C-alpha cells in the first residue's frame, strides 16, 4: 500500500484519534499509535464485513443480529430456503432487504451439494464464499459518489493470505460448487483466484463463541485484521453485539505498535511458535520468542506477562475491570478500592481480583527490571519465587499440565484408599467368619 492508501484507510477507520495504519516489509500492515494511550482505553470498534452461522447452530442463532436462542425461544425461519433463522420479524425483514434476499435462491441450490471432503465448517465456507461474491457484485453497482461507512470488498481482498496446503482439494470443490450456482457475471473469476479469496478470509476470520465455548459462527473484520500478533499483547478484543471492540491492557506510550495475541500466551515458547506456524503460517519473532536487538532478554518479557497479565486461576488474560466491586463482596456492600490498585478480571473465567499495584507501561517496567539487583536468570527446571522476581520458566509445566498432574495424583490416592478400605473390609469379614466357625465348634463340643 502506498502512503495515500494508508492515509485513506487510517482516516476511514481511526479518524484523527492518533492511531494509524502503517506498513513495513517485515510487519506488513499494522496498527501504530502516535500518542500515549491509557490502560483500558478503546482504540478500535471494528464492524464486520460478513457474518456466517455454523451448520450446527443454524436454528439457534439469529442470522441478522447473532442473538443466541435461550431455552424456550422460538426462532423464525426463512420459508423459502429454510437456511436462515431469526429472533424476530424485524431481524428477518432487515436481513432479507440487505443480504438474504440476494442469496436465498442460491442457498437452496447449494443445499443439494455434497462435499467429498469436509475438514469442519465446509458447508459454512460455501455460504461464506457465496455471500462474498454477492456483496462484491452489489458494491459494483453503487453510485460513483457513494461513500461507504463500513468495510468494503477491496478491504477483504487486501488481507494477507497463505497457501491452501492440504486443504486445497476441499477449497477447490467448494469454489466449483459456488461457481456452478452463480451466473458468470457474478463469478467470472478463475477457480484458482477464488480459492485464494477463500483462503484469505479463512486465515483472517474471527470465531463467534458461546458462553460454553461452542463455535457459533465466523466473521471477517478487515479492520481488526490489521492487528499483528505478539505473545506479549498490549491490547485485547471483546464482542459488543456483532462488532469487535479493541482495548488496551495496560498503558502504551506513543510510537509503539498495538498488538493482540492470537493464541494463549501461557505455553512454553516452542509450543507457542509451533501452534502459530501450524494455524497462522508465520514464525513468531515477538519479544517473548526472540530477544529484541539491543533490548532486554526474553525472560524479562515473560516476567511482565506472568506478573501482570496471567490469570492466577486459569490460562486467561487479566483485563481492566471498571466495576467498582471487590471480589467476594456482597452485592449491597459499598466497598472502596484500596489505593494504588486497579481492578482486573479474567477474560476466560471472569475471576476478579485486585492487583497489588497498578500495571505500568512495558518500557517503564523494563527500566525497573534492568536496574534491579533482583534480576535472576532461571535455570531449566527451576522456578523463581514470585517474591523475588515473578518469572516462570518457559520449560515449567503449564497450569493445565499442573492441574492434570494434580488430578492424576488425587485419583491415584482415591484408588489406593478404596483398595485399602476393601482390603480392611475383606480382612474383617474373614476374621468374623473364622470367629463364627470357632464359636460353632465350641458349641458342638459343649453339647457333646
Amino acid at each position: 500500500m502506498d502512503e495515500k492508501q494508508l492515509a485513506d484507510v487510517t482516516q476511514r477507520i481511526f479518524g484523527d484519534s492518533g492511531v494509524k495504519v502503517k506498513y513495513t516489509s517485515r510487519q506488513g500492515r499494522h496498527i501504530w499509535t502516535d500518542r500515549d494511550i491509557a490502560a483500558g482505553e478503546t482504540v478500535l470498534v471494528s464492524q464486520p464485513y460478513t457474518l456466517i452461522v455454523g451448520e450446527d447452530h443454524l436454528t439457534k442463532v439469529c442470522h441478522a443480529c447473532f442473538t443466541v436462542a435461550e431455552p424456550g425461544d422460538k426462532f423464525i425461519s426463512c420459508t423459502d430456503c429454510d437456511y436462515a433463522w431469526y429472533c424476530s420479524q424485524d431481524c428477518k425483514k432487515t436481513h432479507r432487504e440487505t443480504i438474504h434476499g440476494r442469496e436465498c435462491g442460491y442457498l437452496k441450490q447449494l443445499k443439494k451439494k455434497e462435499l467429498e471432503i469436509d475438514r469442519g465448517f465446509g458447508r459454512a465456507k460455501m455460504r461464506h464464499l457465496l455471500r462474498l461474491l454477492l456483496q462484491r457484485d452489489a458494491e459494483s453497482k453503487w453510485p460513483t459518489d457513494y461513500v461507504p461507512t463500513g468495510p468494503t470488498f477491496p478491504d477483504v481482498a487486501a488481507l494477507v493470505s497463505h497457501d491452501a496446503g492440504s486443504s486445497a482439494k476441499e477449497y477447490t470443490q467448494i469454489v466449483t460448487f459456488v461457481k456452478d450456482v452463480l451466473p458468470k457475471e457474478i463469478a467470472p473469476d478463475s477457480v484458482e483466484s477464488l480459492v485464494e479469496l477463500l483462503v484469505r478470509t479463512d486465515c483472517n476470520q474471527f470465531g463467534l463463541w458461546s458462553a460454553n465455548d461452542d463455535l457459533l459462527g465466523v466473521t471477517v473484520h478487515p479492520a481488526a485484521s490489521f492487528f499483528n500478533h505478539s505473545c506479549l499483547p498490549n491490547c485485547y478484543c471483546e464482542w459488543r453485539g456483532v462488532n469487535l471492540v479493541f482495548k488496551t491492557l495496560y498503558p502504551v506510550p506513543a510510537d509503539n505498535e498495538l498488538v493482540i495475541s492470537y493464541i494463549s500466551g501461557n505455553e512454553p515458547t516452542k509450543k507457542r511458535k509451533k501452534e502459530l506456524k501450524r494455524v497462522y503460517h508465520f514464525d513468531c519473532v515477538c519479544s517473548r520468542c526472540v530477544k529484541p536487538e539491543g533490548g532486554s532478554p526474553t525472560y524479562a518479557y515473560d516476567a511482565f506477562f506472568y506478573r501482570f497479565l496471567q490469570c492466577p486461576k486459569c490460562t486467561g488474560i487479566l483485563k481492566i475491570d471498571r466495576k467498582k466491586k471487590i471480589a467476594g463482596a456482597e452485592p449491597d456492600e459499598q466497598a472502596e478500592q484500596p489505593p494504588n490498585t486497579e481492578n482486573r478480571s479474567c477474560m476466560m473465567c471472569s475471576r476478579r481480583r485486585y492487583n497489588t499495584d497498578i500495571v505500568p507501561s512495558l518500557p517503564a517496567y523494563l527500566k525497573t527490571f534492568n536496574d534491579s539487583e533482583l534480576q535472576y536468570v532461571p535455570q531449566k527446571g527451576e522456578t523463581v519465587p514470585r517474591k523475588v522476581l515473578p518469572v516462570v520458566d518457559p520449560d515449567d509445566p503449564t497450569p493445565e499440565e499442573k492441574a492434570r498432574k494434580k488430578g492424576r495424583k488425587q485419583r491415584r490416592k482415591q484408588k489406593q484408599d478404596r483398595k485399602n478400605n476393601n482390603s480392611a473390609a475383606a480382612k474383617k469379614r474373614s476374621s468374623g467368619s473364622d470367629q463364627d466357625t470357632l464359636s460353632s465348634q465350641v458349641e458342638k463340643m459343649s453339647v457333646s
Side-chain angles (χ1 to χ4, degrees):
M1 298 181 75
D2 58 31
E3 291 298 324
K4 184 179 184 305
Q5 289 175 318
L6 288 173
D8 290 343
V9 171
T10 295
Q11 186 61 38
R12 182 154 53 88
I13 297 175
F14 296 105
D16 299 321
S17 65
V19 178
K20 63 184 181 183
V21 179
K22 290 182 68 175
Y23 176 84
T24 64
S25 57
R26 179 176 175 271
Q27 297 165 285
R29 295 182 303 177
H30 56 281
I31 298 178
W32 192 265
T33 177
D34 286 334
R35 64 178 178 86
D36 294 343
I37 303 179
E41 185 175 335
T42 299
V43 294
L44 172 66
V45 178
S46 175
Q47 299 176 10
Y49 184 73
T50 52
L51 288 163
I52 301 296
V53 180
E55 292 289 313
D56 295 337
H57 302 280
L58 288 175
T59 62
K60 306 170 188 175
V61 178
C62 178
H63 289 224
C65 68
F66 252 74
T67 296
V68 181
E70 298 289 343
D73 289 349
K74 292 184 179 180
F75 275 21
I76 310 159
S77 70
C78 169
T79 53
D80 293 331
C81 68
D82 203 35
Y83 233 129
W85 291 72
Y86 306 98
C87 63
S88 67
Q89 289 290 353
D90 287 342
C91 275
K92 180 178 179 179
K93 181 181 177 183
T94 301
H95 198 241
R96 188 166 189 87
E97 290 175 352
T98 55
I99 299 172
H100 189 65
R102 296 194 300 268
E103 65 184 14
C104 185
Y106 301 120
L107 284 174
K108 286 193 289 186
Q109 297 178 56
L110 281 180
K111 204 171 184 179
K112 302 172 186 177
K113 305 286 186 179
E114 291 294 334
L115 288 169
E116 294 177 11
I117 303 174
D118 189 347
R119 299 177 185 273
F121 248 64
R123 300 196 66 83
K125 289 174 184 175
M126 281 199 294
R127 291 185 285 116
H128 197 182
L129 180 59
L130 174 70
R131 184 168 296 180
L132 285 167
L133 296 177
L134 290 173
Q135 289 193 201
R136 180 184 67 175
D137 180 64
E139 290 175 21
S140 68
K141 299 171 183 175
W142 284 346
T144 54
D145 59 347
Y146 178 76
V147 179
T149 57
T152 60
F153 186 82
D155 296 328
V156 176
L159 295 173
V160 175
S161 185
H162 62 79
D163 185 71
S166 59
S167 301
K169 188 174 180 180
E170 178 191 2
Y171 286 138
T172 300
Q173 190 176 38
I174 290 171
V175 168
T176 303
F177 285 165
V178 174
K179 279 180 68 69
D180 285 346
V181 303
L182 283 175
K184 285 188 178 180
E185 58 268 22
I186 296 179
D189 318 71
S190 66
V191 171
E192 293 75 18
S193 63
L194 290 183
V195 166
E196 184 184 357
L197 173 62
L198 192 57
V199 173
R200 193 182 301 276
T201 55
D202 271 8
C203 66
N204 285 282
Q205 65 192 10
F206 290 80
L208 287 154
W209 300 85
S210 71
N212 299 321
D213 284 340
D214 292 327
L215 183 58
L216 304 176
V218 293
T219 174
V220 173
H221 284 254
S225 298
F226 292 146
F227 280 92
N228 278 342
H229 163 82
S230 172
C231 297
L232 184 57
N234 52 27
C235 293
Y236 70 96
C237 66
E238 58 188 10
W239 292 102
R240 186 184 296 167
V242 296
N243 291 335
L244 272 174
V245 180
F246 291 81
K247 299 180 180 181
T248 49
L249 285 164
Y250 48 88
V252 182
D255 296 326
N256 274 283
E257 184 181 1
L258 299 178
V259 288
I260 61 174
S261 181
Y262 297 174
I263 60 172
S264 170
N266 191 38
E267 292 284 1
T269 303
K270 288 183 179 179
K271 285 187 178 181
R272 296 198 311 270
K273 291 174 74 72
K274 185 177 180 180
E275 183 177 357
L276 288 166
K277 185 68 173 177
R278 179 182 64 83
V279 179
Y280 297 99
H281 308 277
F282 68 85
D283 294 310
C284 186
V285 291
C286 76
S287 52
R288 287 186 66 198
C289 294
V290 179
K291 179 183 175 181
E293 186 176 349
S296 301
T298 56
Y299 64 82
Y301 299 92
D302 279 332
F304 184 90
F305 178 85
Y306 285 107
R307 177 176 178 181
F308 295 118
L309 301 184
Q310 176 66 62
C311 175
K313 183 180 178 183
C314 70
T315 60
I317 284 181
L318 294 172
K319 64 176 182 177
I320 289 285
D321 192 332
R322 298 300 185 192
K323 297 178 181 178
K324 302 298 183 182
K325 177 180 179 296
I326 296 177
E330 293 298 323
D332 295 334
E333 288 185 20
Q334 297 296 321
E336 292 185 5
Q337 185 162 335
N340 300 319
T341 65
E342 58 188 8
N343 202 11
R344 287 185 170 252
S345 62
C346 176
M347 294 173 62
M348 289 182 64
C349 67
S350 298
R351 175 187 177 188
R352 289 197 186 93
R353 67 158 188 161
Y354 280 102
N355 285 323
T356 54
D357 48 18
I358 295 174
V359 179
S361 68
L362 183 57
Y365 174 79
L366 291 175
K367 186 178 185 306
T368 304
F369 182 92
N370 292 330
D371 292 343
S372 173
E373 296 179 358
L374 296 177
Q375 286 189 51
Y376 181 78
V377 181
Q379 303 299 314
K380 186 172 181 178
E382 183 179 19
T383 302
V384 181
R386 180 172 286 270
K387 288 183 180 179
V388 177
L389 187 67
V391 177
V392 175
D393 183 3
D395 291 322
D396 277 353
T398 64
E400 293 94 339
E401 291 170 342
K402 290 180 180 178
R404 286 194 292 269
K405 185 176 180 181
K406 184 178 179 181
R408 288 195 295 269
K409 186 176 180 180
Q410 289 176 341
R411 288 192 292 273
R412 284 197 298 269
K413 184 176 184 304
Q414 291 170 355
K415 185 177 180 180
Q416 186 61 44
D417 289 343
R418 287 195 298 269
K419 186 176 179 180
N420 293 341
N421 291 337
N422 291 338
S423 298
K427 188 175 181 180
K428 185 176 181 180
R429 287 195 299 271
S430 176
S431 299
S433 176
D434 292 344
Q435 186 66 35
D436 290 343
T437 302
L438 181 61
S439 300
S440 177
Q441 291 174 352
V442 170
E443 187 177 341
K444 285 181 181 180
M445 290 176 64
S446 300
V447 171
S448 300

